[in-house]
Amino acid sequence: MDYEIFMEQALEQARKAFDQGQFPVGCVIVQDDRVIASGARAGTSGDLSFFSEIDHAEIRALKALESSDVRFIPERAVLFCTMEPCLMCFAAIILAGIRTVVFAYEDVMGGGTGLDRRHLAPLYRDAQITVVPHVLRKKSLDLFHDFFNKDANLYWKDSLLESYTLDQRRESGNKQGCNSEIK
Ligand SMILES: Nc1ccnc(=O)[nH]1
């Protein structure tokens, strides 16, 4: 499977979120080389005093499976997300029975995929799940950089994620100066 083709489609969802002032995360669920559900982050725009921590792109894509015209067969599905899934989403993905997760940009502040699952209940502990990081990472990083650079966007402003993202962009800018192969 060509991971970059499907990650591009997840990035389209992330751009859709970005254009609406939302935290720029997008997700697609692929089965047998075809996108059967997608989701874009919601609940984070403007100066809401309350941001939704339920409306993550991954949860919205999992929800969208309900109205997909393709029958969902989890063992044949791959989930693509432009940011590493958080704990909530990683648990939901495991519960859904999906066995492969591909993401673009690591979530150093709230990522859930590095969790040591050995002490969790059997359903989580025994899940066989493969995580593929950093597919089209730079494209996703650039979107987060642009998000944090806009004064109107308040979600996770002045956070570890913001400072890490601005740092990473500076670093990748430097690297690109001497290595044109970096994406
Ligand atoms: N992985 C994610 C982090 C934050 N928000 C999302 O929708 N997804």
Side-chain angles (χ1 to χ4, degrees):
M1 180 185 283
D2 186 334
Y3 288 161
E4 295 196 358
I5 286 182
F6 293 113
M7 189 58 81
E8 281 291 0
Q9 299 196 45
L11 281 161
E12 263 174 45
Q13 294 293 315
R15 284 185 204 108
K16 211 163 80 180
F18 178 86
D19 290 343
Q20 293 166 359
Q22 301 285 353
F23 198 55
V25 190
C27 177
V28 296
I29 298 172
V30 173
Q31 184 171 300
D32 301 332
D33 279 324
R34 159 168 183 213
V35 173
I36 60 165
S38 61
R41 180 65 197 257
T44 56
S45 71
D47 57 358
L48 299 172
S49 57
F50 167 80
F51 293 119
S52 165
E53 281 307 338
I54 309 292
D55 284 317
H56 284 205
E58 299 92 318
I59 300 291
R60 289 166 64 89
L62 288 167
K63 254 327 247 180
L65 286 171
E66 291 167 17
S67 49
S68 176
D69 47 14
V70 176
R71 191 166 67 92
F72 174 51
I73 303 166
E75 315 84 73
R76 302 223 296 254
V78 179
L79 182 140
F80 291 80
C81 194
T82 63
M83 174 171 256
E84 177 186 358
C86 72
L87 268 186
M88 168 182 73
C89 291
F90 195 49
I93 292 163
I94 288 174
L95 291 175
I98 293 174
R99 297 196 185 148
T100 310
V101 175
V102 183
F103 72 78
Y105 182 41
E106 67 277 11
D107 182 355
V108 285
M109 191 172 75
T113 68
L115 179 70
D116 180 351
R117 292 184 278 122
R118 278 176 301 182
H119 298 292
L120 299 183
L123 210 50
Y124 306 102
R125 182 190 65 205
D126 300 336
Q128 301 288 320
I129 186 158
T130 303
V131 178
V132 182
H134 298 160
V135 172
L136 298 185
R137 175 181 184 272
K138 174 72 165 56
K139 286 193 175 180
S140 181
L141 168 60
D142 285 351
L143 258 183
F144 283 99
H145 173 267
D146 294 350
F147 178 84
F148 286 122
N149 258 343
K150 273 200 177 159
D151 290 341
N153 294 335
L154 299 180
Y155 186 65
W156 289 130
K157 193 149 225 55
D158 300 324
S159 65
L160 167 64
L161 184 63
E162 181 192 68
S163 58
Y164 177 83
T165 299
L166 300 180
D167 271 5
Q168 288 296 303
R169 242 292 280 259
R170 268 191 291 274
E171 257 178 49
S172 76
N174 291 340
K175 269 193 235 147
Q176 255 187 338
C178 54
N179 182 353
S180 57
E181 273 173 14
I182 289 178
K183 283 206 188 99

